[in-house]
């Protein structure tokens, strides 16, 4: 009987006309047979108990909920056989026989892990982000997962906030390009091919602007600021056809994302025309009570009427919506609309045709952690690392150089994958040491130090990816490190943060290298040997002391599965470094929040600390390494930009010459400043970029176009306006070292 029901659905799918009509007719038919309660059941999402935990425990009887038609989606289930069993139960035992949507945080890889997103953004190559998303989708879908909670596109101006690791940095122009690329990679054309998955852009909105760089705090800012600095990447994802949007935990103008009508109705659905479904973040509906917005019933009504279609984890929708409909607090039509959106998503995935299409145990065994995916992970990791310093061209090293590899990340294989590692904890990962050996290195390793002196902190910081505490004293470990250093030509110090010291709920006030490792660095410095510092981290760290005392600094981020091979490729020059920063590195954590595209101060710092200037009495207010910055083993020379004013755009051209002796990739960047406007405008704003390889001695011409839209901004009425006048156009390898030209654009001649 149940099978017949399903077959009827399948037959229906096969016979209708065009895809859109076919889908609508199918869903009309399906919904006509559903009760109000069954429709509400589709709006409920719960986590499965298992290895992966992404929030507080939820105790629920999944089987019973399915039998009662009270569950539309589950998350964190990653075994294709288990997904099969659960899906079979849903299809055969529930009253509606509707397959489940299976979701998971596939953020920067599933089994094969790529660099954390902030690192990946430093590649300045959105095509690479698309490739990582494509591979992740292939791996995840073969294991039953058809919906990822990615990309995270929250712009962050504050490295104290641990979740800066998950986004694409501090600039919304670059962030938008990456947002589009991720959505494209995960979803493709969403035409029901079994290796495409739904993407979910998050955390809408402004989560990255949380007060004090502290997770889950409030956000309040002018609306013009929201739109000029934060909103574009969410909008870009919507324009790219993202299937779902996750609301933020934080308040915006006093109302948390899960209940924010302005964000969900006025902007997302109203202005941007989003037609997918909205899901709250983990317990986001329940937590509205903790924000003081009312009783469980009241917050349910508020959240649902504000535009939240699906409840992640709190079970409030199944508990309270039906009653609220009966009392007239929620319209039945709103339930119908939300249910339809979720059924549409399931339809697009092809789940009604074949509920088991994502359970491909055989295929998953072949592709997870495959050689091909690891080759991609290696290449992509090399593109994301940023060379910050390279005095006297100490890098690349010769194969004959004797290396003392020192530090807790020298042989680490767990924490190099970074936060939100999906199934990475059981993956195959290459340590730095192993990578050096693969490259024929002459190398000795010593641990040198623990992560930090306090064992309790070390345990907290390496949560679920443990780094065993070395029981030796700090002096003993340093002694061993100095011994191997004495036999070496160069020291490579592999230091930084464990994976879980960035990411959700991992904020810090002190962004220096943790104490025990810092002590190790000081001891190494006292040897007088050359030191190459390799930093593992999910956020920009404070490197003022290191910038003065180390000979080279290579910022590895958390590079993923192929960390060791990728690092060694750069260390030996198999690959020339080409990463450039997408978040400013500050001299002191006291400078945050900071963003390169701030408006001018009338009392701008002029290089000398003084009273009555926009400076700190104890620190220069500028970044240590600015947005866009990154070195190469070769050198590039940028020409003056040339502009041509066309009817509706400015064409900008400039040459970049590779003036060194080896080939390399440059990141050509174009910034703009509106010189006179009705409101203060940023000192510079990224408006074009391209990464390209240039042969030694050769030059390449870059051509960018600036339209009126590129030069427009949101005023205080939220009109997106273009004001004719003078614009300064700046081109260079980062936001500070640019050559410029000023042009008049838009005035009637
Ligand atoms: C995070 C989200 C994540 C969700 C599900 C939440 O705690 O904020 O980014 O997608 O958990 O795991």
């Amino acid at each position: 009987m149940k099978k017949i029901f399903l077959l009827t659905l399948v037959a229906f799918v096969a016979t209708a006309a065009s895809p859109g009509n076919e889908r609508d007719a199918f869903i009309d038919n399906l919904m006509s047979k559903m009760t109000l309660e069954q429709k509400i059941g589709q709006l409920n999402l719960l986590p499965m108990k298992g290895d992966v935990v992404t929030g507080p425990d939820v105790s629920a009887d999944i089987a019973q909920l399915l039998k009662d038609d009270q569950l539309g989606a589950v998350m964190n289930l990653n075994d294709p056989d288990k997904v099969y069993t659960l899906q079979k139960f849903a299809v055969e035992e529930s009253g509606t026989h509707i397959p489940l949507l299976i979701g998971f945080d596939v953020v920067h890889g599933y089994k094969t892990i790529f660099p954390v997103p902030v690192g990946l953004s430093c590649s300045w190559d959105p095509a690479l982000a698309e490739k990582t998303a494509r591979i992740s989708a292939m791996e995840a879908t073969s294991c039953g997962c058809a919906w990822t909670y990615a990309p995270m596109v929250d712009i962050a101006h504050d490295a104290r906030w641990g979740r800066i690791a998950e986004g694409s940095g501090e600039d919304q122009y670059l962030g938008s390009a990456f947002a589009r690329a991720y959505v494209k990679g995960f979803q493709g054309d969403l035409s029901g091919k079994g290796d495409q998955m739904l993407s979910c852009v998050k955390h809408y909105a402004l989560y990255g602007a949380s007060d004090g760089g502290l997770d889950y705090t409030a956000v309040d800012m002018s609306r013009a600021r929201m739109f000029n600095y934060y909103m574009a990447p969410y909008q870009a994802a919507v324009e790219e056809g993202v299937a779902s949007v996750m609301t933020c935990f934080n308040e915006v103008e006093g109302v948390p994302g899960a209940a924010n009508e302005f964000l969900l109705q006025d902007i997302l659905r109203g202005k941007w025309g989003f037609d997918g479904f909205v899901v709250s973040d983990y317990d986001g509906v329940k937590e509205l009570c903790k924000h003081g917005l009312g009783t469980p019933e009241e917050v349910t009504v508020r959240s649902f009427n504000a535009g939240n279609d699906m409840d992640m984890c709190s079970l409030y929708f199944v508990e309270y919506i039906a009653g609220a409909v009966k009392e007239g607090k929620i319209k039945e039509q709103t339930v119908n609309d939300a249910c339809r959106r979720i059924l549409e998503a399931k339809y697009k995935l092809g789940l009604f045709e074949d509920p088991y299409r994502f359970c491909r145990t055989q295929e998953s065994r072949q592709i997870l952690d495959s050689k091909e995916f690891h080759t991609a992970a290696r290449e992509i990791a090399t593109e994301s690392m940023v060379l910050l310093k390279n005095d006297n061209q100490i890098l690349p090293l010769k194969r004959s150089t004797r290396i003392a590899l020192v530090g807790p990340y020298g042989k680490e294989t767990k924490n190099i994958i970074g936060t939100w590692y999906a199934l990475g904890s059981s993956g195959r990962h290459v340590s730095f040491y192993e990578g050096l050996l693969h490259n024929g290195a002459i190398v000795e390793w010593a641990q040198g130090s623990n992560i930090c002196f306090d064992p309790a902190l070390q345990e907290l910081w390496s949560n679920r990816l443990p780094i065993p505490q070395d029981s030796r004293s700090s002096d003993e470990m340093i002694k061993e490190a100095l011994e191997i250093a004495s036999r070496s030509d160069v020291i490579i110090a592999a230091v930084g943060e464990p994976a879980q010291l960035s990411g959700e709920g991992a904020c810090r006030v002190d962004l220096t290298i943790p104490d025990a490792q810092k002590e190790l660095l000081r001891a190494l410095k006292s040897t007088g040997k050359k030191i190459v510092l390799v930093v593992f981290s999910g956020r920009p760290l404070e490197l003022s002391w290191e910038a003065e005392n180390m000979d080279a600094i290579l910022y590895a981020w958390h590079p993923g599965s192929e960390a060791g091979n990728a690092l060694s490729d750069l260390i030996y020059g198999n690959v020339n470094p080409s990463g450039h920063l997408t978040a400013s590195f500050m001299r002191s954590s006291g400078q945050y929040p900071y963003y390169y595209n701030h408006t001018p101060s009338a009392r701008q710092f002029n290089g000398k600390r003084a009273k009555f200037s926009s400076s700190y009495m104890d620190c220069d207010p500028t970044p240590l390494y600015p947005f866009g910055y990154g070195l190469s083993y070769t050198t590039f020379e940028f020409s003056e930009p040339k502009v041509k004013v066309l009817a509706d755009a400015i064409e900008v051209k400039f040459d970049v010459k590779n003036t060194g002796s080896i080939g390399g990739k440059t990141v050509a960047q174009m910034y703009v400043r509106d010189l006179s406007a009705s409101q203060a405008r940023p000192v510079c704003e990224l408006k074009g970029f391209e990464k390209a390889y240039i042969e030694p001695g050769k030059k390449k011409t870059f051509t960018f176009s600036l339209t009126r839209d590129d030069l427009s901004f949101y005023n205080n009425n939220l009109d997106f306006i273009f004001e004719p006048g003078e614009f300064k156009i700046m081109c260079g390898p980062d936001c500070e070292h640019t050559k410029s030209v000023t042009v008049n654009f838009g005035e009637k001649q």
Side-chain angles (χ1 to χ4, degrees), residues 54 75 105 149 163 202-203 246 249 281-282 420 504:
T54 61
M75 57 195 248
D105 293 277
Y149 307 132
R163 302 198 79 168
K202 67 187 188 186
H203 307 82
M246 188 187 295
F249 286 127
D281 201 349
Y282 207 109
W420 290 110
E504 186 170 356

Side-chain angles (χ1 to χ4, degrees), residues 45 52-56 75-76 104-105 107 148-150 152 163 166 200 202-203 207 215-216 246-247 249 280-283 312-313 420 504:
L45 160 66
V52 186
V53 183
T54 61
M75 57 195 248
N76 302 353
F104 190 41
D105 293 277
V107 175
T148 175
Y149 307 132
M152 187 280 219
R163 302 198 79 168
E166 298 171 51
C200 181
K202 67 187 188 186
H203 307 82
Y207 186 26
D215 221 347
Y216 318 126
M246 188 187 295
T247 60
F249 286 127
S280 53
D281 201 349
Y282 207 109
D283 266 349
M312 186 194 287
C313 299
W420 290 110
E504 186 170 356

Side-chain angles (χ1 to χ4, degrees), residues 102 137 142 152 160 196 235 310 338 366 390 410 616 629 715:
I102 313 279
S142 75
M152 187 280 219
R160 292 173 301 174
Q196 298 172 332
Q235 186 179 357
M310 188 184 261
Q366 281 163 13
N390 193 20
Y616 300 99
Y629 177 83
N715 67 11

Side-chain angles (χ1 to χ4, degrees), residues 12 39 48 133 230 290 389 440 555 565 631 674 683 714:
F12 202 88
K39 290 174 192 164
M48 294 295 291
Y230 292 93
K290 295 194 177 147
K389 180 176 179 184
Y555 214 77
N565 284 332
L631 299 174
D674 188 341
V683 290
Y714 288 92

